[in-house]
Amino acid sequence: MALKTIGLFGGTFDPVHDGHLQMALESKKVLMLDEVRLLPCHQPPHRDTPQLSSEQRLLLLELAASDVDGLLVDDRELKRDKPSWTVDTLKECREELGDEVSITLLMGTDAYNGLQSWHNWQMLPKLAHICVLQRPGYQLPDHGVLADWLAVSTAAKIHTEAAGMVIAIKQPMLAWSATTIREQLTRGIRPKGLPKVVFDYIVNHQLYGFTEKKY
């Protein structure tokens, strides 16, 4: 029996850019997911503190996803006053959705390669499928537990089983990075790769130090 399929794509989204939306939509298409939920992280345990507040990043994400079919924003991690452990998010989602919904956690190759440093990482495949978004220049692990997980999984079961598969799909090289975009905004340069509605909000509220006078 085919299950409803939901993808979860987390990140700091500081700020959200076209690359984030492209990865989410491409994953939805390739895996034939019913929807992809974008989860902004409140206190990222493996990254620097975001430059914008949680509220600002959430607003920009909602603006960017508002007219994109199949993309939803899930703010549950912003409501926690503690690090955003992925295992906690998956436990919450599984409790809400039950075992009749397939959940797929979407992550980049770099994140997957460092998965063994994550909090209770062994629990993740018990709660959801994992899909590694492999971009050019990033190599998947070729030995150890993470390589073994990939070796015994099949993508087809994402639609018939609620959790347990670990797969990888090819992604194109992204033309944008949040780090570069932030640097350009700080210097007063209009960066490529920002949805117009996001850039307009940044300009109007002078986020990242960007002002109309500079531009």
Side-chain angles (χ1 to χ4, degrees):
M1 180 183 69
L3 304 178
K4 179 177 181 179
T5 53
I6 294 176
L8 302 180
F9 184 34
T12 52
F13 301 110
D14 186 28
V16 59
H17 56 71
D18 290 337
H20 295 132
L21 304 180
Q22 176 184 321
M23 291 176 70
L25 289 172
E26 183 69 12
S27 301
K28 180 178 182 295
K29 177 182 177 181
V30 172
L31 300 175
M32 295 183 290
L33 303 174
D34 293 313
E35 65 185 51
V36 172
R37 299 183 182 182
L38 307 174
L39 290 97
C41 179
H42 178 43
Q43 297 179 23
H46 300 284
R47 304 187 67 173
D48 294 335
T49 300
Q51 189 167 329
L52 292 188
S53 69
S54 297
E55 293 75 18
Q56 290 171 318
R57 290 182 290 113
L58 174 62
L59 178 57
L60 293 180
L61 193 58
E62 289 175 336
L63 289 172
S66 61
D67 60 351
V68 182
D69 186 44
L71 295 187
L72 304 174
V73 177
D74 187 325
D75 65 351
R76 70 180 66 238
E77 292 191 353
L78 302 183
K79 298 175 181 177
R80 301 186 199 135
D81 189 23
K82 61 179 182 179
S84 300
W85 302 120
T86 299
V87 67
D88 293 339
T89 297
L90 293 182
K91 285 178 180 178
E92 286 184 7
C93 290
R94 184 56 68 196
E95 289 172 0
E96 293 173 10
L97 300 171
D99 295 328
E100 301 304 313
V101 173
S102 170
I103 300 175
T104 300
L105 177 65
L106 307 170
M107 67 173 64
T109 311
D110 50 347
Y112 184 71
N113 288 342
L115 197 66
Q116 288 172 290
S117 67
W118 289 28
H119 181 64
N120 284 345
W121 63 275
Q122 302 95 330
M123 287 290 298
L124 300 182
K126 298 178 181 179
L127 297 165
H129 304 296
I130 297 175
C131 180
V132 186
L133 311 179
Q134 187 181 13
R135 288 174 285 163
Y138 291 85
Q139 299 299 316
L140 296 169
D142 57 7
H143 66 279
V145 174
L146 299 182
D148 293 342
W149 281 1
L150 285 164
V152 300
S153 297
T154 173
K157 291 187 177 180
I158 284 180
H159 290 267
T160 59
E161 299 183 10
M165 298 297 105
V166 182
I167 64 170
I169 60 174
K170 298 287 187 180
Q171 291 268 303
M173 177 62 74
L174 297 180
W176 315 278
S177 78
T179 299
T180 299
I181 287 173
R182 288 195 303 271
E183 292 174 349
Q184 291 175 333
L185 288 168
T186 300
R187 300 202 311 269
I189 300 172
R190 177 171 183 165
K192 295 181 179 179
L194 280 180
K196 183 179 183 303
V197 66
V198 171
F199 178 71
D200 288 347
Y201 189 91
I202 288 173
V203 171
N204 291 335
H205 294 80
Q206 299 183 6
L207 303 182
Y208 300 105
F210 188 96
T211 66
E212 289 186 286
K213 183 180 293 185
K214 286 184 180 179
Y215 178 57

